[in-house]
Amino acid sequence: MDIVKLIEKTPTTEDLRDDLKRIAKARIFFAHQSVGGNVVEGLRDLAQVQGIPLKIFETDRPGPGEIPIFCHTRIGRNRDPASKFEHFARLLRDGIGQDVQIAIFKLCYVDVTVTCDSGALSDRYLQVFDDLENTYPRLKLVHCTVPLTARRRGLKTVLARAMGRSDSAMADNRVRTIFNDVLRVRYDSHASLFDLAYVETGRDKCHRIQPATEAEIPALNPAYTDDGGHLNRHGRKIVSEELVRTLARILR
């Protein structure tokens, strides 16, 4: 590809400022748990650095009106995806479905592991959101891929691999990738997907359905985390920038 074209397509600081300005004029709701809180923190830092007056509030009652707001709240219980579906749907029914332009829903990495039936979960997810899209046709629902965890380090992990045992963190990431690929197939073409998991990898590995080997399973970039699951300052910056770009495209 022509180098000039590559340069033209590379996002700039000015592009990011323009995207933040667009978001700052909108009404957006974000339903999440802890990693989502990391993303919100990164978004707040980003707006401050860029000097954009983005109004971020933790509330599930943005209220009717035209005043711009980015509101967010924790929903449901971790390790219980059904509780998150129910809570999100209830909040939409209670007014958010009519009071905002965009509603973002995110599951946590602990919701999708080897202990869950990913096929049943993805079927339920699609059913829930098909119903919500039919109920709120004017609301733009944005779907997040499930975040990943980092590859485990240390002597025990090395020995387990040498003995042919699978890294449990990567086994969980395999299940998350299968689930995430369902969301990608269903929603990416509709421009209603925030591919959080892909951004978390550092985008140096392509996602694929049912990776053949452990080395091919996407994982959270270790530079983006201090505990293997949540986002550190650098990770928050990278992910929040991509969220801004995604939301700005949706708002255009």
Side-chain angles (χ1 to χ4, degrees):
M1 183 181 290
D2 193 304
I3 293 177
V4 174
K5 291 183 179 179
L6 281 173
I7 294 174
E8 290 175 348
K9 291 182 178 181
T10 301
T12 65
T13 300
E14 193 59 36
D15 291 333
L16 188 61
R17 282 180 56 82
D18 289 342
D19 288 345
L20 272 167
K21 289 177 183 177
R22 188 180 299 273
I23 291 170
K25 296 176 182 177
R27 290 174 62 80
I28 299 170
F29 172 62
F30 181 26
H32 63 84
Q33 276 281 352
S34 57
V35 172
N38 300 157
V39 177
V40 171
E41 188 177 354
L43 186 60
R44 184 178 285 110
D45 291 344
L46 187 62
Q48 183 175 8
V49 168
Q50 296 297 328
I52 304 300
L54 182 61
K55 298 180 178 66
I56 301 176
F57 295 98
E58 185 168 3
T59 178
D60 58 8
R61 294 289 186 273
E66 301 298 325
I67 299 174
I69 185 174
F70 186 103
C71 57
H72 69 102
T73 192
R74 292 173 181 256
I75 57 165
R77 299 177 298 278
N78 274 340
R79 298 181 177 83
D80 184 1
S83 73
K84 298 184 178 184
F85 296 152
E86 190 279 329
H87 192 176
F88 184 69
R90 174 159 46 85
L91 290 175
L92 295 190
R93 290 195 305 270
D94 287 348
I96 286 180
Q98 290 82 30
D99 295 338
V100 300
Q101 296 163 263
I102 292 176
I104 314 165
F105 177 87
K106 186 192 76 63
L107 291 173
C108 191
Y109 57 82
V110 297
D111 296 323
V112 185
T113 66
V114 293
T115 63
C116 81
D117 183 337
S118 64
L121 179 59
S122 59
D123 287 346
R124 180 58 180 156
Y125 186 105
L126 297 179
Q127 179 185 11
V128 166
F129 281 89
D130 280 350
D131 291 343
L132 292 177
E133 287 173 357
N134 290 330
T135 303
Y136 305 98
R138 298 179 61 183
L139 175 66
K140 189 66 174 180
L141 291 167
V142 175
H143 311 268
C144 290
T145 49
V146 175
L148 306 171
T149 53
R151 294 177 185 274
R152 290 180 177 162
R153 307 294 180 183
L155 181 58
K156 288 185 178 180
T157 300
V158 172
L159 291 175
R161 288 175 182 162
M163 297 172 65
R165 297 175 185 168
S166 176
D167 180 344
S168 60
M170 299 312 294
D172 287 337
N173 279 344
R174 179 191 293 272
V175 178
R176 292 168 191 139
T177 299
I178 294 170
F179 177 84
N180 286 340
D181 278 324
V182 172
L183 300 190
R184 290 171 179 131
V185 169
R186 183 62 173 270
Y187 299 114
D188 198 22
S189 62
H190 301 293
S192 59
L193 180 76
F194 174 50
D195 202 342
L196 170 59
Y198 183 49
V199 179
E200 282 191 329
T201 66
R203 291 174 285 188
D204 58 351
K205 292 182 181 294
C206 294
H207 57 258
R208 63 178 67 195
I209 295 176
Q210 296 183 334
T213 68
E214 185 174 297
E216 295 174 318
I217 301 172
L220 173 59
N221 188 323
Y224 295 172
T225 183
D226 295 328
D227 65 4
H230 297 94
L231 299 170
N232 59 21
R233 187 177 184 86
H234 181 50
R236 294 194 298 268
K237 177 180 183 294
I238 298 297
V239 171
S240 62
E241 286 180 352
E242 192 59 35
L243 176 62
V244 166
R245 296 185 185 103
T246 299
L247 294 178
R249 283 197 301 270
I250 292 170
L251 289 165
R252 285 192 183 100

PDB file of all heavy atoms in Angstrom, residues 217-236:
ATOM      1  N   ILE A 217      -3.876 -18.291  20.846  1.00  0.00           N
ATOM      2  CA  ILE A 217      -4.993 -17.739  21.603  1.00  0.00           C
ATOM      3  C   ILE A 217      -4.679 -16.298  21.989  1.00  0.00           C
ATOM      4  O   ILE A 217      -3.638 -16.032  22.587  1.00  0.00           O
ATOM      5  CB  ILE A 217      -5.254 -18.571  22.875  1.00  0.00           C
ATOM      6  CG1 ILE A 217      -5.572 -20.026  22.513  1.00  0.00           C
ATOM      7  CG2 ILE A 217      -6.425 -17.978  23.669  1.00  0.00           C
ATOM      8  CD1 ILE A 217      -5.656 -20.953  23.718  1.00  0.00           C
ATOM      9  N   PRO A 218      -5.543 -15.347  21.640  1.00  0.00           N
ATOM     10  CA  PRO A 218      -5.295 -13.949  22.016  1.00  0.00           C
ATOM     11  C   PRO A 218      -5.252 -13.794  23.541  1.00  0.00           C
ATOM     12  O   PRO A 218      -5.955 -14.494  24.271  1.00  0.00           O
ATOM     13  CB  PRO A 218      -6.489 -13.204  21.430  1.00  0.00           C
ATOM     14  CG  PRO A 218      -7.025 -14.109  20.370  1.00  0.00           C
ATOM     15  CD  PRO A 218      -6.773 -15.496  20.857  1.00  0.00           C
ATOM     16  N   ALA A 219      -4.431 -12.860  24.000  1.00  0.00           N
ATOM     17  CA  ALA A 219      -4.299 -12.598  25.437  1.00  0.00           C
ATOM     18  C   ALA A 219      -4.115 -11.111  25.660  1.00  0.00           C
ATOM     19  O   ALA A 219      -3.742 -10.362  24.752  1.00  0.00           O
ATOM     20  CB  ALA A 219      -3.111 -13.370  26.012  1.00  0.00           C
ATOM     21  N   LEU A 220      -4.388 -10.677  26.876  1.00  0.00           N
ATOM     22  CA  LEU A 220      -4.175  -9.289  27.259  1.00  0.00           C
ATOM     23  C   LEU A 220      -2.681  -8.978  27.204  1.00  0.00           C
ATOM     24  O   LEU A 220      -1.858  -9.709  27.762  1.00  0.00           O
ATOM     25  CB  LEU A 220      -4.716  -9.070  28.672  1.00  0.00           C
ATOM     26  CG  LEU A 220      -4.451  -7.727  29.349  1.00  0.00           C
ATOM     27  CD1 LEU A 220      -5.020  -6.567  28.542  1.00  0.00           C
ATOM     28  CD2 LEU A 220      -5.038  -7.735  30.761  1.00  0.00           C
ATOM     29  N   ASN A 221      -2.334  -7.904  26.540  1.00  0.00           N
ATOM     30  CA  ASN A 221      -0.946  -7.475  26.443  1.00  0.00           C
ATOM     31  C   ASN A 221      -0.409  -7.194  27.856  1.00  0.00           C
ATOM     32  O   ASN A 221      -0.989  -6.391  28.583  1.00  0.00           O
ATOM     33  CB  ASN A 221      -0.875  -6.206  25.584  1.00  0.00           C
ATOM     34  CG  ASN A 221       0.542  -5.789  25.249  1.00  0.00           C
ATOM     35  OD1 ASN A 221       1.446  -5.912  26.064  1.00  0.00           O
ATOM     36  ND2 ASN A 221       0.732  -5.273  24.049  1.00  0.00           N
ATOM     37  N   PRO A 222       0.685  -7.823  28.264  1.00  0.00           N
ATOM     38  CA  PRO A 222       1.195  -7.624  29.629  1.00  0.00           C
ATOM     39  C   PRO A 222       1.595  -6.182  29.918  1.00  0.00           C
ATOM     40  O   PRO A 222       1.639  -5.779  31.086  1.00  0.00           O
ATOM     41  CB  PRO A 222       2.398  -8.568  29.707  1.00  0.00           C
ATOM     42  CG  PRO A 222       2.775  -8.854  28.293  1.00  0.00           C
ATOM     43  CD  PRO A 222       1.495  -8.803  27.515  1.00  0.00           C
ATOM     44  N   ALA A 223       1.861  -5.391  28.870  1.00  0.00           N
ATOM     45  CA  ALA A 223       2.203  -3.983  29.081  1.00  0.00           C
ATOM     46  C   ALA A 223       0.983  -3.165  29.491  1.00  0.00           C
ATOM     47  O   ALA A 223       1.130  -2.037  29.964  1.00  0.00           O
ATOM     48  CB  ALA A 223       2.801  -3.395  27.802  1.00  0.00           C
ATOM     49  N   TYR A 224      -0.217  -3.753  29.333  1.00  0.00           N
ATOM     50  CA  TYR A 224      -1.451  -3.020  29.622  1.00  0.00           C
ATOM     51  C   TYR A 224      -2.030  -3.346  30.995  1.00  0.00           C
ATOM     52  O   TYR A 224      -3.102  -2.854  31.340  1.00  0.00           O
ATOM     53  CB  TYR A 224      -2.515  -3.348  28.579  1.00  0.00           C
ATOM     54  CG  TYR A 224      -2.206  -2.915  27.169  1.00  0.00           C
ATOM     55  CD1 TYR A 224      -3.031  -3.323  26.117  1.00  0.00           C
ATOM     56  CD2 TYR A 224      -1.111  -2.121  26.855  1.00  0.00           C
ATOM     57  CE1 TYR A 224      -2.778  -2.937  24.811  1.00  0.00           C
ATOM     58  CE2 TYR A 224      -0.846  -1.747  25.555  1.00  0.00           C
ATOM     59  CZ  TYR A 224      -1.688  -2.152  24.538  1.00  0.00           C
ATOM     60  OH  TYR A 224      -1.429  -1.772  23.242  1.00  0.00           O
ATOM     61  N   THR A 225      -1.358  -4.188  31.769  1.00  0.00           N
ATOM     62  CA  THR A 225      -1.946  -4.639  33.039  1.00  0.00           C
ATOM     63  C   THR A 225      -0.874  -4.820  34.102  1.00  0.00           C
ATOM     64  O   THR A 225       0.283  -5.131  33.784  1.00  0.00           O
ATOM     65  CB  THR A 225      -2.723  -5.958  32.843  1.00  0.00           C
ATOM     66  OG1 THR A 225      -3.346  -6.342  34.076  1.00  0.00           O
ATOM     67  CG2 THR A 225      -1.816  -7.078  32.360  1.00  0.00           C
ATOM     68  N   ASP A 226      -1.276  -4.660  35.356  1.00  0.00           N
ATOM     69  CA  ASP A 226      -0.373  -4.919  36.473  1.00  0.00           C
ATOM     70  C   ASP A 226      -0.759  -6.173  37.235  1.00  0.00           C
ATOM     71  O   ASP A 226       0.037  -6.702  38.009  1.00  0.00           O
ATOM     72  CB  ASP A 226      -0.361  -3.726  37.445  1.00  0.00           C
ATOM     73  CG  ASP A 226       0.213  -2.469  36.809  1.00  0.00           C
ATOM     74  OD1 ASP A 226       1.110  -2.590  35.953  1.00  0.00           O
ATOM     75  OD2 ASP A 226      -0.247  -1.360  37.182  1.00  0.00           O
ATOM     76  N   ASP A 227      -2.010  -6.632  37.048  1.00  0.00           N
ATOM     77  CA  ASP A 227      -2.475  -7.808  37.788  1.00  0.00           C
ATOM     78  C   ASP A 227      -2.939  -8.945  36.890  1.00  0.00           C
ATOM     79  O   ASP A 227      -3.428  -9.963  37.369  1.00  0.00           O
ATOM     80  CB  ASP A 227      -3.597  -7.422  38.762  1.00  0.00           C
ATOM     81  CG  ASP A 227      -4.852  -6.928  38.049  1.00  0.00           C
ATOM     82  OD1 ASP A 227      -4.902  -6.952  36.796  1.00  0.00           O
ATOM     83  OD2 ASP A 227      -5.808  -6.519  38.747  1.00  0.00           O
ATOM     84  N   GLY A 228      -2.779  -8.782  35.574  1.00  0.00           N
ATOM     85  CA  GLY A 228      -3.145  -9.847  34.648  1.00  0.00           C
ATOM     86  C   GLY A 228      -4.569  -9.764  34.136  1.00  0.00           C
ATOM     87  O   GLY A 228      -4.939 -10.537  33.238  1.00  0.00           O
ATOM     88  N   GLY A 229      -5.373  -8.838  34.671  1.00  0.00           N
ATOM     89  CA  GLY A 229      -6.758  -8.760  34.223  1.00  0.00           C
ATOM     90  C   GLY A 229      -7.277  -7.349  34.040  1.00  0.00           C
ATOM     91  O   GLY A 229      -7.981  -7.054  33.076  1.00  0.00           O
ATOM     92  N   HIS A 230      -6.925  -6.471  34.979  1.00  0.00           N
ATOM     93  CA  HIS A 230      -7.390  -5.090  34.905  1.00  0.00           C
ATOM     94  C   HIS A 230      -6.381  -4.230  34.152  1.00  0.00           C
ATOM     95  O   HIS A 230      -5.215  -4.605  34.010  1.00  0.00           O
ATOM     96  CB  HIS A 230      -7.642  -4.543  36.311  1.00  0.00           C
ATOM     97  CG  HIS A 230      -8.729  -5.274  37.032  1.00  0.00           C
ATOM     98  ND1 HIS A 230      -8.470  -6.330  37.871  1.00  0.00           N
ATOM     99  CD2 HIS A 230     -10.069  -5.120  37.007  1.00  0.00           C
ATOM    100  CE1 HIS A 230      -9.623  -6.801  38.347  1.00  0.00           C
ATOM    101  NE2 HIS A 230     -10.604  -6.088  37.834  1.00  0.00           N
ATOM    102  N   LEU A 231      -6.839  -3.077  33.698  1.00  0.00           N
ATOM    103  CA  LEU A 231      -5.994  -2.214  32.877  1.00  0.00           C
ATOM    104  C   LEU A 231      -5.221  -1.229  33.735  1.00  0.00           C
ATOM    105  O   LEU A 231      -5.784  -0.577  34.620  1.00  0.00           O
ATOM    106  CB  LEU A 231      -6.863  -1.450  31.870  1.00  0.00           C
ATOM    107  CG  LEU A 231      -7.638  -2.318  30.873  1.00  0.00           C
ATOM    108  CD1 LEU A 231      -8.649  -1.469  30.108  1.00  0.00           C
ATOM    109  CD2 LEU A 231      -6.682  -3.014  29.912  1.00  0.00           C
ATOM    110  N   ASN A 232      -3.927  -1.107  33.468  1.00  0.00           N
ATOM    111  CA  ASN A 232      -3.122  -0.098  34.136  1.00  0.00           C
ATOM    112  C   ASN A 232      -3.251   1.224  33.381  1.00  0.00           C
ATOM    113  O   ASN A 232      -4.045   1.349  32.445  1.00  0.00           O
ATOM    114  CB  ASN A 232      -1.660  -0.543  34.270  1.00  0.00           C
ATOM    115  CG  ASN A 232      -1.010  -0.821  32.918  1.00  0.00           C
ATOM    116  OD1 ASN A 232      -1.463  -0.340  31.873  1.00  0.00           O
ATOM    117  ND2 ASN A 232       0.064  -1.597  32.932  1.00  0.00           N
ATOM    118  N   ARG A 233      -2.488   2.206  33.764  1.00  0.00           N
ATOM    119  CA  ARG A 233      -2.609   3.537  33.155  1.00  0.00           C
ATOM    120  C   ARG A 233      -2.404   3.496  31.642  1.00  0.00           C
ATOM    121  O   ARG A 233      -3.151   4.117  30.880  1.00  0.00           O
ATOM    122  CB  ARG A 233      -1.611   4.502  33.803  1.00  0.00           C
ATOM    123  CG  ARG A 233      -1.780   5.949  33.356  1.00  0.00           C
ATOM    124  CD  ARG A 233      -0.802   6.867  34.091  1.00  0.00           C
ATOM    125  NE  ARG A 233      -1.025   8.264  33.741  1.00  0.00           N
ATOM    126  CZ  ARG A 233      -1.912   9.049  34.357  1.00  0.00           C
ATOM    127  NH1 ARG A 233      -2.649   8.562  35.334  1.00  0.00           N
ATOM    128  NH2 ARG A 233      -2.066  10.307  33.990  1.00  0.00           N
ATOM    129  N   HIS A 234      -1.378   2.769  31.216  1.00  0.00           N
ATOM    130  CA  HIS A 234      -1.102   2.673  29.779  1.00  0.00           C
ATOM    131  C   HIS A 234      -2.236   1.936  29.062  1.00  0.00           C
ATOM    132  O   HIS A 234      -2.698   2.368  28.003  1.00  0.00           O
ATOM    133  CB  HIS A 234       0.227   1.948  29.563  1.00  0.00           C
ATOM    134  CG  HIS A 234       0.611   1.830  28.122  1.00  0.00           C
ATOM    135  ND1 HIS A 234       0.610   2.892  27.247  1.00  0.00           N
ATOM    136  CD2 HIS A 234       0.996   0.738  27.383  1.00  0.00           C
ATOM    137  CE1 HIS A 234       0.991   2.483  26.044  1.00  0.00           C
ATOM    138  NE2 HIS A 234       1.222   1.187  26.100  1.00  0.00           N
ATOM    139  N   GLY A 235      -2.676   0.837  29.638  1.00  0.00           N
ATOM    140  CA  GLY A 235      -3.768   0.082  29.030  1.00  0.00           C
ATOM    141  C   GLY A 235      -5.047   0.889  28.953  1.00  0.00           C
ATOM    142  O   GLY A 235      -5.775   0.840  27.950  1.00  0.00           O
ATOM    143  N   ARG A 236      -5.352   1.636  30.018  1.00  0.00           N
ATOM    144  CA  ARG A 236      -6.544   2.482  30.013  1.00  0.00           C
ATOM    145  C   ARG A 236      -6.484   3.516  28.887  1.00  0.00           C
ATOM    146  O   ARG A 236      -7.496   3.796  28.232  1.00  0.00           O
ATOM    147  CB  ARG A 236      -6.691   3.199  31.359  1.00  0.00           C
ATOM    148  CG  ARG A 236      -6.972   2.284  32.533  1.00  0.00           C
ATOM    149  CD  ARG A 236      -7.429   3.059  33.748  1.00  0.00           C
ATOM    150  NE  ARG A 236      -6.451   3.990  34.257  1.00  0.00           N
ATOM    151  CZ  ARG A 236      -5.563   3.713  35.194  1.00  0.00           C
ATOM    152  NH1 ARG A 236      -5.498   2.481  35.713  1.00  0.00           N
ATOM    153  NH2 ARG A 236      -4.728   4.641  35.636  1.00  0.00           N
TER     154      ARG A 236
END
